[in-house]
Each structure stands twice: as structure tokens, then as C-alpha cells.
Amino acid sequence: MSRYLLPLIATLSGCSQAPLCTSDVIQVARDPGSDRYAVTESRNCGATSDFATVVRVGRASQPQDEAQEVFVADDGGSGGGRRGTIWINVVWTGPGHLMIARASHARVFKQLAASNGAAITYRATDPIAPPPVS
């Protein structure tokens, strides 16, 4: 029996090599006062889940996959975006200050107040209203 089970286990473990989620970059915003950046992505984790909107903050000196995830949300099933994405506007309002304006109906999973030395503020609004830039 083990001679049949071993190939099956090896085959199934090979499936875990593929990435679970894929991401498409929507926007990249650069901090005017440093080498920081904020990247907005649409994340797709397969047919059984909706897309999510993700914002990560990083520095130019580090690999992009090491940028810190600061915001994650979806549309909560309201059908507002591309199967779960929400409208979002990410702007550096000044050196070291990031403003994330997002749809008020969004279901927020993560929302950090700071990352990589930058302060982050959030505004939920409908309809779309761009954040003020100082």
C-alpha cells in the first residue's frame, strides 16, 4: 500500500509549489521627501475568493516583495469593483505622510497607522474624493 501512497503524496506536495495568489499593480506613488513608495495592487487568490485591494509601503533600496502590507480591503460582496476590488486613491500629501482615500463601503481587513517611517491616514468617502495635497 505504501508504494501507491508515496507517489500520490509526492504529486500532491508538488501542487503547493505554485503561488496561491497573484497581484496586478494598479498604482505606484513615490514619497517626495524620501525613497519611500506606496504600491496599490489588485490581489487574486483564486476562484473561491473575491479580489482584494492591497497597499504596501516600501523603500527603493529593498526588494518590492519586502514592502510592508499596510492596507487590505475588498468590497464586502457589494459588487462595486472588479470582483471584490474597491476604488482607492493613494497620495503622499507631504514628505513622510501618506493618505489613503477609499470607498466607504469597503470591508477593511488591515489598516496600519505607520510603515517604514511614514505616517498613514485614511479617509472613507463616496463618491471618489481625492485627498488634499499640501
Side-chain angles (χ1 to χ4, degrees), residues 22-95:
T22 59
S23 294
D24 294 324
V25 174
I26 298 170
Q27 174 190 12
V28 177
R30 302 193 189 291
D31 182 348
S34 78
D35 69 338
R36 282 184 292 265
Y37 65 89
V39 62
T40 306
E41 301 170 333
S42 173
R43 182 178 293 160
N44 176 7
C45 292
T48 60
S49 63
D50 279 342
F51 285 64
T53 302
V54 178
V55 177
R56 295 184 298 127
V57 174
R59 292 198 174 267
S61 59
Q62 69 184 155
Q64 189 172 359
D65 62 344
E66 291 181 14
Q68 183 178 22
E69 201 172 77
V70 298
F71 178 79
V72 179
D74 71 10
D75 71 357
S78 69
R82 183 178 123 191
R83 285 193 39 218
T85 58
I86 59 166
W87 74 260
I88 190 165
N89 193 354
V90 178
V91 175
W92 292 93
T93 58

